Every structure is written in C-alpha cells, then in structure tokens.
Amino acid sequence: MDAAIADAEAEANTDEPGKAKGGTEGFKLLPRLPERDGFSTIAPLVFSLPQIRWSSQSMVPHTNIQGSLLRNTTTLIYGAPSHTASPRALPHWTECDEFANGDTALIQPASPLAHGEWYFAGVRGLRDERSGDLLEPAPGVRRAQEVVAKALAAGLGDDGDDADDDSGDIMDFVEDGSEEAEEGDERGEKRRLAVRALWRLVQVLRKHPNGHDHNWVRSWVNATDLQAAWAFPTISADSSLGALNHMRNITMKWLDAQPRRMPPSKVVKVDREECSRGKGTPRIVWGQLVAPSFLENHYSRYSGLDDDGWGGWDDTVGWVMVLPCSVLQHPSKQSGLTSRVQNVRSIVQYGHGLFADRSEVTEDWVTSMAQDNQWVLVATDWRGMTRFDTPVVLQALMSEPQKIINTVGNIKQSFVHQALLLSLAPSLASEQLVKGSTEVDADSSWWSAFSSASTTTTTDSFTDSFNATSDHGELAFLESVPRVFYGVSNGAVLGAGYTSWVAPTKLLSRAALTSGGANFAGLLLSRSSEFSVYALVLDLCFFERRSVRLLLILMQMVWDPLEAASWANLETNDPGNRLTPTMTRVPTLVQAGAGDASMPKLAAHLLARALGSVETDDLPHPYGVWGLATPDRPASMVFEDDDDGGGSGDVGDDDDWWSVGFEGVYSDPLHKKCDRTIVKISDTKAEVSGYDAYYNFFFRFDPLHCDGDHDVAWGPFDGALDLSGLTDEIGDTTKHTGKDTITVDFSAKGGPSNLVGEWDPEVPGIKWADGNTWTWLRALESEGGVEGEEEGEAQGGSDAGGGRTRRRLRSTSERRRLEASSNSTNDGTDTSAAEEATPAASPTATPTSPLEDEVMASLKSIPGNYSDPDHPGCVRRIHGFYMKGDAPVRNTIVTGTSPAAGTGTGAESASELACDGATDEVWSTPLPLEYDTIEKFFVVDFSALNGPSDVIGVYDPTVPGIVWDESSGLAAWVDLDEESEVDDEGEGGGEIADDDVWITPLTEEEKASWTPV
C-alpha cells in the first residue's frame, strides 16, 4: 500500500502532467481536458413559438417516431449519427412540454447523438389547432432565409477550408444598413444564429450531394412555412467522459498495486443466520474496504472531485454481503459437492434506489430471490444519491445549482467503490463460506485476501475450477462464478452507466436493470411522480417552469457521464477521443414496467435503443419499442457506416416528385380533427372512409370539429385510382409519365359526385377539384403494427386513425378463388357449385404480423433481376418489398424493357423479340405484383403490355427463378442473381448466406428496401 502511494507521489512530481520523470505513463493526475465544448448527446432540444401549446396535433408523437423520418415531418434533426456515417434525418419525437405548462416544446432524439458533431434542427408547418393557421415563425427566421437566398443567388460557395459552414462569408450578406429592427430581434442576434444554421445546412448538403434524405431536406432552406432553425454542437467524448474514464484507469492501476490485486477490507459486524434444511434467515455481513479517493474532501458530502485527480489518499467504504441459507447449507453426500462454496451460482451486486442506502439489499424481497437462486449478494452505497445526500441535493435545487456538479462527482466516486467491491466479492464470500466464523474482533487490523490463489483462475467447469488448486480451490471456484449487477429504479439508472463504465475491466458477466432509463434530468425526472416534491422546491426559485426546464437540461449536460447512453455511443474512431480504445458491452436485460409512474417507459425505451437491445418477443402495439430488433427481425433503426451511399431516405426518390399511392391517413381543414383514411385495394381501386362531427341543434356540438366521442363514421366509398405518375427506375433513369389522381363519389354523404383529387408532393397531400386540400399525416400502420380486424370491429367498425387492417392482399386470393371456381377438377366435375355453396374463407392475415420463416424466405427470394427466355436480353426486375418489422407493408412492382419494335407479344420474328440494350424501350407503366402470405404465391397483371391478366407465379429455387401458371403461356424467368451464385459456388451453392438474409442480392439502393425509411 505504501509503495503504491509512493509511486503515485513520484509521478506527481513531474515536469509534464500525467507522466513520471522517468518517462513512464503516470496514473495519478487527471488529463488536461477541454471545458464542456458542446451540448448533451441525449437531452431534448427546446424551442418555443407563439401559441405553441395549441399545436401538439401537428407534432410527431412518441407513438409514431417513424414519422420523423418522412418528408412531411414538422420537426427535423439532421446530422451524422456517427463519425463514419453520412448526415441524414435522425429519428425523434416532439411534444409540448406539459411540465412547463405547454409554453415550450421538446424534440427528443430517439437515440443518442454522436459526440463532437454539429447538428441542424428545424421546425416547420406547425398549426394552431383552433384556427388551422400556421404559427408565427421565430424572430429572425424569415430574414435569415432572405440572406441565404441572396448568398445562393450570388453564387457563394465553399471557400475550401473543409469547414461545414462559411459563416465569415455568409455574414457579409446579413446587413447592408437598410434593414429596420425586427420586433423580438432588435439587435439581429437571432437572425444571425438562424443564418449560420441554414448556411451550415446548405454546406453539409453540398458536401454530401448523394447523402441520405438529401432531396427533401434541402427544401427546408427556403420553405415558406419554416418557423425555427438552429444548429448546435454535441459535447466531445473527451470533455464529457474523459475524467470518469481516467478514474477507472487509475483505480485499476491502484488495484494492481495491492497484494493479489485485492483492496484491503475487514468485517465489522455479522448478523448470524437462522437456517434449517437450507431455509431461514440469511447471514448478513457488514464491513469496510479501502478505496482511492478522487474527492477534494472525502469526509464531506458537499465536496466535489479534486481537479488533480487522486491526491494519494484513500477512503474507507462501507459494504454489506448477504449469504442465504441455500448457500450456507452444507452439501449432502448425494449431491457430489465437497464444499459450501459450490452452492453459489452467482455473485450479484445490488444497486439501491433513490436516496436509500446499501441496507436495501437486506430487504425480504431481495433476499428471497437470493435464497431461491443461490446468490451471494453484495452492495455498497451510491455516494451522492443516498439518504445522507438529500440535504446536498436540496441545497443545489434551492439556492446553489452549481452544487449539482459536486453531487455528480460523488456519484463518480461511488463508481470506483462499486468496482472495487465487485473485484473483492469472491474473496469476501470465500472468507465466510470456508472459515465460517461469525465472530468479529473490534480491534482487528485490515486484511487483504487470505488466499493466494490466482484471481485469473477460470475454467468452463465449476468442478474443475474447484479442483484447480488443492489448497485454494474455494477462491478459484468463486472467481469463476458469474458476477452480475442488478439494479432497481434509481439503481437501474445509475447501474446502467456503471456497468457500461466498468465493462472494459471484464469484472461483470451480465446485468439486469429493472425500471430504469436514460436521460435522467432531461426526460426521466420531469415525467416521474417522484419528482413532484422537488419540482415544488424549484418553483420557489423560478418565476416560470420554462426556466426550470432549461435548468434540468443544463443539469443533464453534467449528468451525461453517468448515463449508459453516453458510453454506449462512444466511438473509437472519434478524432478527438483519447478514451479507452475498446469498449466492451456487458450483456444487459432491460425491464420496463407498464404504467410505472416513477420510471417512464420512454426513458427505458431510450436506454434500450442506446444499448442496442433486442426485444425478447414481438410485442403488440403499444408495448413494442420502436427501433429495436427482435429474435425474428433486425432493428428498424440501423445507421450504416458509410459515406454517401444510397440511403433509405432517397431510394427511388426524385428531386421534385414523390408519391405514397394515396394510401394513408389525412387531415381535412374543413373538418378539424376528423381523419380521412384511404386504403389501397389495388393499383386502380381504393376505399375512402372517415369521420364527421355529430351536429344536433339541441346539443349544439361544433359541426366542423370532431371530438372523438360524438363523431359519425362514413364510408367506405369506392375510389378510382390513376397512378400513372408512379416513379420507375431502370438503371440511372427516373421516369414519371403523368400525375396521380383519385376519383371518389361523395354524394352519399351530401358531397360532390365523382370528385377528382390530384396528388401534390409539395403539400404533401391531395388537392381536390372543389378547392379543398387533404394533408397526408401518416401511413396506415402505427408504431408496433396495426390492430387486427377483430379488435377494430370490437371498437366499433373502421378506424379512421390508421388502425384498420389493410386488405390489399385479399384481392389476390379472391381472384384465385374465382379462377378456381371457373375451372373443372381433373375428373371433369364442375366445382363452381361447391365453391358457391361453401365459399373459401378469405385470408385475414395482417401484413404487419410476424410471418413464418418459410414465408419470409419465400418473400426474400422474389426481388431481383431476371432473364426472360421469350425476350432475350430484355430487363425483368422485381423490386424489393418495403418491410416494416418482419413483414411487407405494401406490395411491389415489376419493371422491365421491351424491344423498340413492340412489346414482344405478337407474331414478331425472333430478332424482334430480343432486346439489344441500346434501342430498348422502358415499360411505360410498372406492373403491380401482389403477394399472398397465406398461399405463398403472387399475382402479376401483364394486361398493360397486351399480355395475360392476373398471372399466378411462384419462386422455384430449382430453376432458380419464377415459374408462371401454365395457362399463361409464359416461360419461366431465370433469377440472374441466384444463377451467378450457382456458377460461382458450384451446384447447390446458391443459397443466401445467413448474414445476408435481410437484404436482397441487388444494388445498394435495393438493400434499403428491407429497412423502413
């Protein structure tokens, strides 16, 4: 011990901080770190606009995070999700801040942002729900757009400094002396901030012209409904995590200097067990250990971290250990065990809750789990978050908010205590189980571990480990037992950060976090029922809750190092990262309680996404977590490490045109809050339904506003679709041959008959011939999938909000049944009467429900490039199915080319049937392909090419390719992608590898078709 301190003092007397005079790397002083150089990577973004509290309906809610990645989103976070990925729109949700009485709004990233990156944030299109009018933009925004427009018109470009913004140049366009002061921005500061933000966005888009979401994000620069724009940097990894990272490294070196790498410890009290036949009251051992202290004054809870790191002094730390009767009982001869230590299955480190202490581990509900599972429990305090720290926290909240830094410093010190207890736990358990003494000598001296067995002795077999050494096999065995962390409530919040921090030491095997979460101060506190008392204290110090919200977000910047989300997002390729180069993750189980008022589920969801967790099962809405993988499907939120590769946001996209094929949920300005739903049945038919407000003269309900209680459903009305404006891509060619229109007869509800609506991507939505405009809100599926038909019917018919089950796949089965009814069986009997008398049940499978493995395998084999023996050299391409979760949410299309002489369906010569690759014509319209997940076949309508209609096809791996119904007369299409694999690998080698199961063997753009945008 003295030698370790002497070495540390020698390293302190150096000419260069952090290095000893002899040139060896020191471990005492904290590295020279930059001040906080950015904002939190997980805290919400805050903005405010006039009447913002009345615009929540036009925000992207947490139940539809996917909507934040669509071009009609009203809020945007744009930037790189990592240092190796190109910028893109990032998932988030937006809400009015009820904690601040609705005076502000929060944009919460759905996953942590990268350290040390710049991001653009914007708001557009928010409307006042009462009038339907756009909210007034923030001061300076309109003038900032004018400045950027002038700069672009003048040809201002990149000045070659490799910086994302050229504020020095763009600021030359800000003022010419003629502008009048703008109300709310008299000094022009807000305008200059908005100019810098917009110009930074322009420069990033220029730098990544083919980046993800480029085509629609650029419209934000000059959007007429832009209401706010700002840019911000996130804190660097060094600035945020550097001190705590260095504390771990110092602690491990300090531990290396101890005899047998075990910190000095002693027992101060033992509560004896009362066991009978392996059951009863457990033994509780109280003790102390020695740990290096990084605090200015480790005797004071008001003290923070010492700026110089470890000053060479140590601290005594209290600990407690629980040994249940199931562990203390002596093994029977029949069990084949020879020592009590072999009863231990796991050593579990317990993290206590908010403002409790280590004694919480002795409560019955914890010890009963230890009894049932044969655990040895150990625990120490979360210094800074115990009952002794309550006065410190109250002082910080009431009068000295800067003292929260000291609280965080104490928690960082507790991480050191937890790590040392974890390393010592096998030795403490061995002392109790082998010696078995419960007597405590009050004058006993500190002792280091009694056993000299190597702490690195681990084997796969517990029995082999126990017999590894003849004298000290007990300790060797306990060293091989899994060490697990278990935290509940605040113990799970801090435990998530602790387990991520301690992971590189390899001391932990796994962890379980119950009722925890991430974004403690920015998200969790204000949504927790436990915070109500502390909120009242803060109300005494501030005039409004908006200021309290800003304080909490500033606190989160200090709290970030304690968050697992910060460590999980640590990148080894961060140019400014000097931290531990390899971050090992501890396998972690995250448990969230439905309806938990203390720990909101949204915080647990954020933690799970940050850790890259996998859902234990495909949970139905609303219990599923957006962005997580399940055992049967990959995560819907995957940020590939790439540069400017084609991204999920621009697949099949065009600069000025896009379409959803009319399907989705719409808003109608003439009927506030009355959703309109369009369900696409085929490429020519749709069903339109919705709700209108109930009106009665006596009740006087508002006839123009739906209230959700007295609304009247109408429809579905048949709609005729003309989708000639659909995008088709053949090679590098993008072709739009018309406009999408829909014709609907609304006369049944007193509206116009045969009203024509045209899709307008600028809205986005439908512009009707009578002057009304429906705005597209979202796709039919909500987060976690849609409800089934039975549930929808139980709730009273069709759901205009998007929960209604899609029915497009039915038409395939109906056509097949009609085809079967018109044919005769092999023995010549007519089956039409039987079909009519006993109609086959229509398949009611919901496309968003989990599909069987063989169905998915069939689906994944269909998209690709094919050759057509009837038309040599011509392109035949089946586009990928757009996947949400583990199922397709819409059918796909078939595109191709034909010889210039014709379609190839007549009596042309062989040369006229072949394509030459130079004069070929692209099909004027794509052919719809509908897949039946029940029957596992698909139907393609070739009538647009003067071919047969409703041709049934199946994928046959023996071809490999597509075999068509014999009655169609079409030859089998050969799968070119699969055929090339067979050629390369030999016969039977063309199966898709497991690693490629979630992508199609096509181009990079097509790979994105398996991942939701």
Side-chain angles (χ1 to χ4, degrees), residues 2-26:
D2 294 336
I5 296 178
D7 291 342
E9 291 175 346
E11 290 182 11
N13 300 319
T14 61
D15 297 326
E16 182 180 352
K19 286 188 178 292
K21 285 184 178 181
T24 59
E25 185 177 357

Side-chain angles (χ1 to χ4, degrees), residues 531-551:
F531 189 64
S532 56
V533 175
Y534 305 97
L536 293 177
V537 173
L538 287 169
D539 288 340
L540 299 175
C541 307
F542 295 93
F543 291 107
E544 57 182 5
R545 281 286 181 89
R546 182 188 308 186
S547 299
V548 177
R549 168 61 69 188
L550 295 177
L551 172 65

Side-chain angles (χ1 to χ4, degrees), residues 897-913:
T897 59
S898 297
T903 62
T905 58
E908 296 89 350
S909 64
S911 61
E912 292 176 317
L913 295 175

